[in-house]
């Protein structure tokens, strides 16, 4: 499915004319493959070429480049691109700390200096935002979106760390074929829902999603499409190719932005994957390339459940 979508993206880009996002996406795809194949010097060149074209709404390409530099024992280059990932890519501290490629440099002097400089680097990122009030309002809409989807966690007292630890322990239990612990950690990750709470949560989600999408339409009409609002539109995904007041507005707008080179053609890939998943009854993982589900927590190739 992913290969088919990638081929369609390539075909469509030639059909409609190359945009800067087409070039960026192609270079990033090549760089990611080179990094996976441990061809780090060439990967670095591809990442640099891509980031010369545009600055993405993600710190991941910057950090991927820095990881390649670390593999070549070039801490100076890694330092430069980690800093750019914060100052230009907008990486939050949690992502900086948890990025797997940096796991072995946590105690390195240069990395500790980056941590010390984090606030000033992050301020540089905020200084590049055209309309900080709209940016903050989108953050507020996103926070509402995520809050109603985590009611079960708040009621049960589960933290993100609890869930993450349970998932790691589940993997170990599955490898050891430990049925007792498999059941234990499955119950921690997927607790039996309280019907009363679930009904309330579903009602709140419907209302919050409705209010959010109405406000997003107002913001978009006045200020244009806001890339960080993707998660809000994502929760209208079930009928994204049908006629309704939401998609009759957003679908032509997004398509025009794509053709004008303001949005990646990858925008629709997760929506199409979701539609195909529903059609086939395969409720697995949706890969969203470089577009985050919720960059508050993590970036790049996430499992989308909400």
């Amino acid at each position: 499915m992913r290969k088919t979508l990638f081929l369609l993206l390539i075909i469509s880009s030639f059909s409609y004319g190359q945009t800067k996002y087409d070039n960026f996406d192609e270079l990033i795809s090549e760089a990611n493959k080179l990094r996976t194949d441990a061809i780090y010097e060439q990967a670095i060149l591809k990442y640099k070429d891509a980031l010369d074209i545009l600055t993405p709404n993600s710190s991941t390409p910057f950090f991927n480049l820095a990881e390649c530099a670390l593999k070549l024992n070039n801490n100076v280059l890694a330092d430069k691109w980690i800093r750019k990932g914060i100052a230009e890519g907008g990486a939050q501290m949690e992502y900086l700390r948890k990025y797997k490629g940096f796991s072995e440099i946590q105690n390195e002097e240069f990395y500790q200096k980056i941590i010390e400089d984090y606030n000033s680097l992050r301020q540089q990122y905020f200084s590049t935002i055209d309309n900080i009030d709209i940016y903050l309002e989108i953050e507020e809409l996103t926070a509402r979106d995520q809050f109603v989807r985590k009611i079960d966690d708040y009621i049960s007292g589960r933290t993100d760390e609890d869930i993450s630890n349970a998932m790691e322990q589940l993997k170990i239990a599955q490898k050891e074929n430990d049925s007792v612990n498999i059941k234990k950690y499955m119950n921690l990750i997927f607790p039996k829902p309280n019907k009363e709470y679930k009904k309330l949560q579903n009602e709140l989600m419907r209302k919050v999603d409705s209010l959010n999408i109405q406000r997003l339409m107002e913001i978009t009409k006045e200020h244009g499409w806001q890339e960080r609002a993707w998660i809000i539109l994502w929760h209208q995904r079930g009928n994204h190719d049908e006629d309704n007041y939401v998609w009759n507005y957003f679908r032509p707008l997004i398509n025009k932005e794509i053709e004008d080179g303001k949005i990646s053609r990858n925008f629709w890939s997760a929506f199409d994957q979701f539609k195909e998943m529903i059609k086939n009854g395969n409720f697995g993982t949706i890969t969203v390339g470089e577009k985050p589900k919720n960059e508050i927590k993590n970036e790049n190739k996430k499992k989308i459940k909400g």
Side-chain angles (χ1 to χ4, degrees):
M1 179 62 188
R2 290 176 60 190
K3 290 181 179 179
T4 301
L5 287 170
F6 181 69
L7 288 172
L8 287 173
L9 287 171
I10 293 175
I11 292 169
S12 63
S13 67
F14 282 111
S15 299
Y16 294 99
Q18 290 282 96
T19 69
K20 63 180 181 180
Y21 270 100
D22 294 330
N23 296 327
F24 174 85
D25 290 340
E26 184 177 349
L27 286 166
I28 289 294
S29 179
E30 292 173 1
N32 287 341
K33 186 178 187 306
L34 289 166
R35 179 170 59 91
T36 300
D37 293 341
I39 308 175
Y40 299 119
E41 290 183 353
Q42 291 184 37
I44 287 171
L45 294 176
K46 293 290 184 180
Y47 282 123
K48 283 183 177 180
D49 287 344
L51 292 167
D52 280 343
I53 294 174
L54 60 86
T55 300
N57 185 36
S58 168
S59 56
T60 299
F62 297 93
F63 284 2
N64 286 347
L65 192 161
E67 180 184 356
C68 291
L70 291 172
K71 294 293 186 180
L72 297 172
N73 298 312
N74 191 336
N75 289 356
V76 173
L77 187 63
D79 179 278
K80 173 183 176 180
W81 287 93
I82 294 172
R83 290 175 178 274
K84 280 179 171 287
I86 303 167
E88 299 178 23
Q92 294 194 350
M93 178 65 83
E94 184 177 4
Y95 185 51
L96 172 63
R97 289 285 199 183
K98 291 186 176 181
Y99 179 80
K100 289 183 178 180
F102 304 156
S103 60
E104 296 181 3
I105 62 168
Q106 297 293 310
N107 296 321
E108 294 283 343
E109 184 177 351
F110 83 92
Y111 183 79
Q112 289 299 316
K113 186 64 170 66
I114 292 173
I115 298 298
E116 291 176 13
D117 295 343
Y118 174 82
N119 283 342
S120 62
L121 292 168
R122 187 89 162 118
Q123 287 169 13
Q124 291 178 42
Y125 169 71
F126 283 114
S127 71
T128 66
I129 296 171
D130 291 333
N131 192 325
I132 195 69
D133 288 335
I134 293 301
Y135 175 93
L136 292 174
E137 185 171 0
I138 294 297
E139 292 292 286
E140 181 181 348
L141 297 180
T142 301
R144 292 179 194 168
D145 175 285
Q146 295 300 292
F147 175 83
V148 295
R149 285 167 169 80
K150 291 176 69 66
I151 287 177
D152 282 345
D153 293 342
Y154 299 135
I155 291 172
S156 66
R158 294 189 311 170
T159 66
D160 289 338
E161 187 175 358
D162 292 334
I163 298 170
S164 179
N165 289 338
M167 291 180 74
E168 290 300 319
Q169 292 301 316
L170 176 61
K171 290 178 185 177
I172 295 171
Q174 288 172 332
K175 285 182 180 179
E176 297 176 351
N177 200 25
D178 184 344
S179 59
V180 174
N181 277 328
I182 288 174
K183 183 177 181 181
K184 172 186 173 181
Y185 292 116
M186 284 293 287
N187 288 337
L188 284 170
I189 298 168
F190 304 107
K192 186 177 181 180
N194 180 298
K195 290 183 179 180
E196 182 179 344
Y197 291 148
K198 196 65 181 176
K199 182 179 179 181
L200 173 62
Q201 182 181 29
N202 288 338
E203 183 64 22
L204 280 173
M205 277 197 291
R206 282 193 293 271
K207 290 185 176 180
V208 167
D209 286 352
S210 178
L211 290 171
N212 273 0
I213 202 68
Q214 288 177 31
R215 179 56 186 145
L216 180 59
M217 290 176 75
E218 293 170 0
I219 290 171
T220 305
K221 287 174 183 177
E222 185 172 354
H223 301 283
W225 170 248
Q226 307 295 308
E227 191 170 359
R228 292 186 70 85
W230 184 86
I231 187 64
I232 298 169
L233 201 56
W234 169 251
H235 288 135
Q236 306 288 326
R237 64 191 180 277
N239 53 7
H240 78 279
D241 53 1
E242 299 174 8
D243 288 333
N244 58 64
Y245 84 100
V246 172
W247 289 109
N248 285 349
Y249 174 73
F250 279 107
R251 190 166 52 240
L253 182 146
I254 296 298
N255 284 336
K256 187 176 188 307
E257 293 278 282
I258 290 171
E259 295 313 317
D260 289 346
K262 297 177 181 178
I263 297 178
S264 169
R265 295 186 199 278
N266 288 332
F267 185 95
W268 294 117
S269 62
F271 291 88
D272 293 334
Q273 286 181 58
F274 177 80
K275 197 78 172 181
E276 189 70 19
M277 185 180 72
I278 294 297
K279 178 181 176 182
N280 296 331
N282 176 23
F283 297 94
T285 298
I286 294 178
T287 302
V288 192
E290 298 301 327
K291 183 170 290 298
K293 171 196 175 187
N294 177 9
E295 212 168 65
I296 293 172
K297 294 293 180 185
N298 298 296
E299 294 184 77
N300 202 34
K301 294 186 178 179
K302 294 177 177 60
K303 292 182 179 179
I304 293 191
K305 298 190 293 182

